[in-house]
Amino acid sequence: MLPENGRPAEDLLAELARLKEADLPVHGGKVTAYVYDTGRAEVRDAAARAYMAMLEVNCLDPTAFPSIVELEKQVVGAVAAKLGGGPDTPGIFTSGGTESIMLAVKSARDARPVAAPRLVVPVTAHPAFHKAAHYLGLELVTVPVDTTTFRVDPAAMEAAIDEDSENTVLVAVSAPSYPQGVIDPVPEVAALASARGIPCHVDACVGGWLLPWMRDAGEEVAPFDLTVPGVTSISCDLHKYGYAPKGASVVLYADESLRRHAYFASAAWPGYTVINSTVQSSKGAGPLGGAWATLQALGESGYRELAANAVAAARKLVAGVEGIPGLRVLGSPAASLVAIASDDPDLDVFVLSDKARDHGWLIQPQLSFPGIPANVHLTLTGVSLDGVDALLEVLAEAAAEAREAGPATLPEGLAEALLELDLDTVDDAGFAALLASVGADPSAEPGTGGGMAVVNSVLDALPPHTREGLLIRFLSSLYRAFA
Ligand SMILES: *Cc1c(COP(=O)(O)O)cnc(C)c1O
């Protein structure tokens, strides 16, 4: 309900501060997912002020607000320069990795219209590809990865493409993939796509603004960008290792004609003519201003230093995990994303994640997948190096506590019951009772027993399609509670 009379800003900000008390901290490096922290207050300040300076500008009409054209050209140009492009490399500033991928997929679909378009990706590719295929009407074909290196085998990609190469409009690989942080064999996959006249997208959403700086610092980085023959587009999120405020990503194209296929225009109504480069139409210029200012406030040396810190933190973590009984790192992380599994049946990684949360750290659980064990995922950032010793201590303590507590136990018959359950017919009360039966209370304070280990174990025991149905039902119940 709205107040009858407007409230003063102080009052509103106090309320926001109160609402945010239950949130995870967005600074300090104890949340090893979702947030990217430079640890530099002056950079955040520059971004916040630039964001506010662009607050009311509408990206809907670039002829009315030429500032956004200039800012976008500068941002896209900066990204192109680091990812193997040049001053003429076409690109689009988008709201995030998902939108960059959506536009890469739309370009490929519309560049070569076929009856039944398909998109071939490794199974480790981000769900944004599933979402793009779902929204844009493509068939998504996933290819298993090697269960030791977690990289996709080019021959397996080739076989999947050749099942129907005529209808395959796009092939994609990751640099690196999110789940285990490894880089797919980009040159090999791009070459075999190119030999068939099929475009190849590189998803460098998470790594695109990290790998170039690692290379500049003298590290060996596997080839992944637009310099690789056959790569036709690449996505790079500035709101990840670009440290920009959320709502900032870039998709680059090797060819202007591909970019044009991302665009949308409509003059088929009696109102203003629409020309959009992105999914959104009316759109605030704050994220563009914030991203531009973050790039300028950090500069080359800033990014080199932050990348070096993130990678040094990850290496220290990988070395340290070897000394923690029962834990092992999956694959060889290429940058600063690390997945850790358990070798000890008494040490449940979902319980470990809950125990770490009790110590004030968020360590993201990842469910098992055919050939890949359940694990926890850490995204280390520029600020992580200062805290990596503390992180290793918490991991060791949480591992010991998890072993002591034993694995999460599923209520008898629950997984079977969930498999049978018709989620369309169960009512809210029934679903709430179901959540309560696994001790799932997402609003519980850390350390009060509101752990997620049982929930994760239940999900882990179910096939992906059933997991998805439950998650959607959970989301709708979460928001319904406010009404
Ligand atoms: C984060 C991520 C995405 C999706 O990005 P959003 O900005 O969350 O939409 C896609 N691919 C990879 C590899 C990612 O890490």
Side-chain angles (χ1 to χ4, degrees), residues 326-327 330 340-358 361-369 372-377 395 398-399 401-403 405-410 438 449-462 467:
L327 297 185
L330 294 178
I340 301 170
S342 162
D343 277 335
D344 177 348
D346 292 331
L347 200 180
D348 180 335
V349 288
F350 300 144
V351 178
L352 180 151
S353 174
D354 281 354
K355 297 292 179 192
R357 183 90 185 248
D358 293 343
W361 287 72
L362 178 99
I363 295 177
Q364 191 177 54
Q366 295 192 130
L367 303 180
S368 66
F369 207 79
I372 307 177
N375 59 86
V376 288
H377 185 280
L395 272 177
E401 289 166 8
R403 192 181 284 107
T409 43
L410 299 193
V438 293
M452 293 296 289
V454 176
V455 178
N456 284 316
S457 302
V458 171
L459 291 172
D460 204 62
L462 296 166
R467 292 174 181 172

Side-chain angles (χ1 to χ4, degrees), residues 44-57:
R44 185 197 181 270
D45 181 53
R49 287 162 66 188
Y51 195 110
M52 291 309 288
M54 299 303 290
L55 188 67
E56 296 95 345
V57 171

Side-chain angles (χ1 to χ4, degrees), residues 95-99 101 126 128 174 176-178 203 205-206 237 239-240:
S95 63
T98 299
E99 191 174 26
I101 287 168
H126 193 275
S174 310
S177 62
Y178 184 87
D203 178 8
C205 281
V206 74
D237 292 351
H239 63 203
K240 289 178 182 162

Side-chain angles (χ1 to χ4, degrees), residues 264-275:
F264 175 81
S266 180
W269 76 318
Y272 60 90
T273 46
V274 165
I275 38 167

Side-chain angles (χ1 to χ4, degrees), residues 417-434:
L418 287 171
L419 261 177
E420 306 272 292
L421 186 70
D422 181 352
L423 283 165
D424 291 330
T425 55
V426 65
D427 62 14
D428 284 353
F431 191 71
L434 199 83

Side-chain angles (χ1 to χ4, degrees), residues 114-212:
V114 295
R118 64 204 287 273
L119 161 59
V120 177
V121 300
V123 76
T124 46
H126 193 275
F129 290 99
H130 296 250
K131 192 172 179 179
H134 180 74
Y135 279 26
L136 296 168
L138 285 82
E139 178 199 356
L140 184 82
V141 179
T142 57
V143 176
V145 294
D146 181 291
T147 51
T148 313
T149 65
F150 303 100
R151 302 168 78 225
V152 79
D153 172 11
M157 286 292 280
E158 184 170 31
I161 295 165
D162 285 344
E163 274 167 27
D164 186 358
S165 66
E166 184 49 39
N167 278 315
T168 303
V169 296
L170 184 66
V171 168
V173 279
S174 310
S177 62
Y178 184 87
Q180 292 84 28
V182 299
I183 301 177
D184 283 318
V186 177
E188 290 83 348
V189 173
L192 60 92
S194 166
R196 291 160 178 78
I198 299 169
C200 176
H201 180 79
V202 174
D203 178 8
C205 281
V206 74
W209 213 237
L210 185 60
L211 299 175

Side-chain angles (χ1 to χ4, degrees), residues 292-307:
W292 174 83
T294 308
L295 290 171
Q296 297 293 324
L298 276 163
E300 299 251 336
S301 66
Y303 282 113
R304 267 199 309 274
E305 220 174 283
L306 288 168

